[in-house]
Amino acid sequence: MKKNKQQLIEEDLKYIWHPFTQMKRYEGDEKPIIIKKGKGIYIEDIDGNKYIDAVSSWWVNTLGHSNKRLNKALYKQAKTIEHVIFAGFTHEPAIKLAKSLIEMCNNDLKHVFFSDNGSTAVEVALKMAYQYWAQSGHPEKKKFVALKNSYHGDTIGAVSVGGVDLYHKVYKPLLFDIIQAPSPYCYRCPFGCEKETCQLACLKAVEDIFEKEHQNIAGIIIEPLVQAAGGMIMYKKEYMTELRKLCDKYNVLFIDDEVAMGFYRTGKLFAYEHANIVPDIICVAKGITAGYMPLSATLTTDKIYNAFYDVDEDGLKTFYHGHSYTGNPLAISIACENLKILKEMNIEEYLKPKIQKFSKELEKFKKHKNVGDVRQCGMICAIELVKNKATKEPFSYSDEIGKKIYKEGLKLGAILRPMHNCMYFLTPYIITEKEIEKLLNIAWKALNKVLPNE
Ligand SMILES: *Cc1c(COP(=O)(O)O)cnc(C)c1O
């Protein structure tokens, strides 16, 4: 017999511990919404309510829900081989995907190491960088530099290089030591600069760190162009261009965490392309399977790969890292089909009018009395809400502004899950211009319901 909604919710709360969720609140008036299906940019609950998936189901979905071609690719692969050990064995889909990735990034990077989520792609990058120096005659280069407000995942290594107190502070005693550099947060510049006249004082701070400690620094890890989970903080591409020069000058590895930005989220395949640079290591995940299956990869250069390429007597130069599901054929087949579809769509051109449409529709938000900053980078838009526009005084956590807007959004048919005091839109790429209008109208209504603009 089919369970009714009430029963399902009770059993959910009884048996499941949800991510990033205060379960006690969940039991109160924030009950989970039971999703039955999805199609395109919409997901539908068991009561038949439809919601625009404005967060791409946690930033992963790019081609919409239940894409026919991706469904078919998954089914086709399931009938041949669903999974196989990836040490000592390989398979054609993996070879094809690795080759496509390298070709798509114009050989900027040369070798692909697969894992199964963004956090592990970051762990792999950190271990690779560390071991690279250990076996390249610089075992003293052990430390990592990471930025305030950064987010690189939830496993312990990734949390160590994280910089969002709300998520990371409690684990501090467990984490390895890093050197934290300031956040390139233009709207709230830690150096008091203005966007228009900014001379990248935040980068100067990185240079000071490098200058003083480069002998001990293995690498710096950044989120390219957007510190996403830290509050959709966006910064200039010149920061990355100049950072590349500093890394070269001081012999520090440049680790570029493209987990959220990769696969055209910023309008280009990888965000580093905007800055005309090549990182030493990049991490990719989220969009790689268009939101279908967990899969990630860490890509690197010959320089790093070659430091591991050696049959030494004690086997110590091997990279001892892997996961049960490394190179999973189901996930990889979907990624292959995804890349094929993106290519056929001529995705860079396809996204341009949508990016412009977002930009146009965002204009009216700038005039709202509680909108401090409106930011956009490709297919990501963020609106930072403030208590006081003139002083930039933020809302406090207990104001629950984001949560209130989220609730209004649900009533109106859109998932406006907030990021701190930011409303943001990070939709599947297939959203139409009409649907962009609809989404931003919903957002406008929800915002004005909670914070009337009089
Ligand atoms: C989401 C995210 C991660 C972590 O990826 P998971 O798949 O959630 O482990 C790492 N880095 C960045 C920049 C992210 O946005």
Side-chain angles (χ1 to χ4, degrees):
M1 214 183 73
K2 230 175 125 187
K3 293 209 157 95
N4 70 27
K5 185 172 148 188
Q6 199 46 42
Q7 259 177 319
L8 284 171
I9 289 179
E10 273 167 25
E11 291 185 359
D12 176 283
L13 294 173
K14 186 167 171 195
Y15 299 115
I16 301 176
W17 191 344
H18 288 269
F20 279 92
T21 301
Q22 174 46 257
M23 295 305 294
K24 187 164 180 183
R25 280 178 183 275
Y26 227 33
E27 286 182 19
D29 63 342
E30 290 170 27
K31 299 217 173 12
I33 295 168
I34 307 170
I35 292 303
K36 191 168 167 196
K37 58 184 179 187
K39 187 74 202 159
I41 65 161
Y42 290 94
I43 54 174
E44 189 176 326
D45 69 16
I46 54 169
D47 295 325
N49 299 310
K50 285 188 183 176
Y51 310 92
I52 299 177
D53 191 354
V55 295
S56 291
S57 286
W58 253 349
W59 318 350
V60 296
N61 193 296
T62 53
L63 299 175
H65 293 276
S66 196
N67 176 290
K68 277 207 181 93
R69 282 180 61 178
L70 297 175
N71 291 351
K72 214 166 143 188
L74 177 60
Y75 183 56
K76 194 170 155 213
Q77 185 58 42
K79 285 190 295 185
T80 44
I81 177 82
E82 74 302 324
H83 187 61
V84 61
I85 177 172
F86 207 57
F89 296 84
T90 190
H91 49 84
E92 268 192 69
I95 298 163
K96 191 173 148 196
L97 179 60
K99 186 165 176 246
S100 301
L101 289 171
I102 301 302
E103 282 171 3
M104 283 172 80
C105 71
N106 294 319
N107 272 295
D108 284 349
L109 298 130
K110 297 268 174 61
H111 307 274
V112 180
F113 190 97
F114 289 114
S115 53
D116 48 23
N117 63 74
S119 307
T120 56
V122 168
E123 300 281 342
V124 167
L126 297 172
K127 285 173 72 177
M128 241 177 215
Y130 185 92
Q131 192 174 343
Y132 165 78
W133 290 117
Q135 50 206 34
S136 311
H138 286 286
E140 71 285 359
K141 284 173 92 68
K142 288 181 175 164
K143 279 209 165 172
F144 289 96
V145 179
L147 306 187
K148 178 78 192 155
N149 292 324
S150 61
Y151 176 86
H152 298 287
D154 291 328
T155 53
I156 291 296
V159 170
S160 295
V161 289
V164 184
D165 286 346
L166 182 65
Y167 308 151
H168 301 145
K169 204 173 174 181
V170 61
Y171 306 109
K172 193 88 184 134
L174 271 183
L175 310 176
F176 58 76
D177 259 349
I178 61 145
I179 305 170
Q180 192 174 66
S183 169
Y185 194 168
C186 297
Y187 176 61
R188 298 181 185 281
C189 177
F191 301 93
C193 306
E194 294 294 331
K195 231 182 271 182
E196 296 69 29
T197 50
C198 152
Q199 302 281 322
L200 295 176
C202 48
L203 192 72
K204 179 71 175 58
V206 175
E207 181 163 20
D208 292 345
I209 292 169
F210 282 7
E211 197 171 2
K212 206 163 127 228
E213 303 205 46
H214 66 95
Q215 288 95 341
N216 303 316
I217 297 175
I220 179 166
I221 181 166
I222 60 146
E223 291 166 88
L225 302 185
V226 184
Q227 292 192 294
M232 296 297 170
I233 294 163
M234 300 182 187
Y235 63 91
K236 292 181 173 178
K237 60 181 196 288
E238 287 77 14
Y239 181 96
M240 291 177 69
T241 315
E242 295 304 312
L243 179 60
R244 176 70 266 182
K245 290 181 196 159
L246 291 180
C247 286
D248 290 337
K249 181 172 170 195
Y250 291 101
N251 219 10
V252 168
L253 295 177
F254 189 130
I255 304 172
D256 175 24
D257 177 358
E258 297 261 357
V259 168
M261 297 302 124
F263 300 99
Y264 302 98
R265 187 50 72 183
T266 66
K268 290 190 187 289
L269 173 62
F270 297 126
Y272 74 76
E273 293 170 42
H274 293 276
N276 266 316
I277 57 155
V278 179
D280 296 294
I281 302 178
I282 70 168
C283 309
V284 301
K286 293 190 169 114
I288 191 170
T289 62
Y292 260 64
M293 299 270 297
L295 177 70
S296 61
T298 307
L299 280 68
T300 192
T301 57
D302 279 337
K303 177 175 103 170
I304 293 183
Y305 179 80
N306 288 338
F308 293 76
Y309 194 77
D310 192 1
V311 187
D312 54 333
E313 258 171 38
D314 38 16
L316 291 177
K317 284 198 173 172
T318 303
F319 188 48
Y320 287 106
H321 190 108
H323 301 277
S324 318
Y325 283 99
T326 296
N328 176 253
L330 297 173
I332 286 190
S333 297
I334 291 174
C336 288
E337 186 68 9
N338 174 35
L339 296 188
K340 202 168 148 201
I341 295 171
L342 293 173
K343 200 169 189 179
E344 286 170 21
M345 285 168 88
N346 193 5
I347 188 73
E348 269 191 46
E349 290 306 313
Y350 174 90
L351 289 176
K352 279 179 187 164
K354 299 175 197 246
I355 293 168
Q356 271 172 17
K357 181 69 177 170
F358 267 117
S359 160
K360 183 166 164 256
E361 294 295 317
L362 278 173
E363 273 306 312
K364 73 170 169 223
F365 286 85
K366 293 181 184 166
K367 294 183 200 107
H368 191 285
K369 75 176 199 324
N370 294 108
V371 170
D373 193 27
V374 174
R375 312 190 263 269
Q376 183 182 12
C377 176
M379 288 295 282
I380 309 155
C381 308
I383 297 169
E384 182 166 337
L385 302 170
V386 289
K387 213 172 218 164
N388 184 320
K389 202 164 179 148
T391 62
K392 302 186 184 178
E393 183 194 350
F395 284 104
S396 65
Y397 185 82
S398 58
D399 289 328
E400 301 197 322
I401 287 303
K403 192 173 282 174
K404 287 175 188 160
I405 293 172
Y406 171 70
K407 283 186 183 168
E408 289 303 320
L410 287 177
K411 285 187 219 160
L412 297 165
I415 301 174
L416 303 173
R417 196 183 156 88
M419 183 61 69
H420 309 295
N421 285 328
C422 278
M423 298 172 76
Y424 72 90
F425 314 106
L426 193 156
T427 69
Y429 302 161
I430 57 158
I431 191 167
T432 63
E433 289 180 47
K434 251 211 156 80
E435 287 164 341
I436 292 172
E437 236 174 88
K438 183 174 167 185
L439 172 63
L440 272 74
N441 278 332
I442 291 176
W444 180 252
K445 274 188 200 151
L447 170 65
N448 282 282
K449 186 86 194 269
V450 178
L451 297 167
N453 190 28
E454 76 264 338

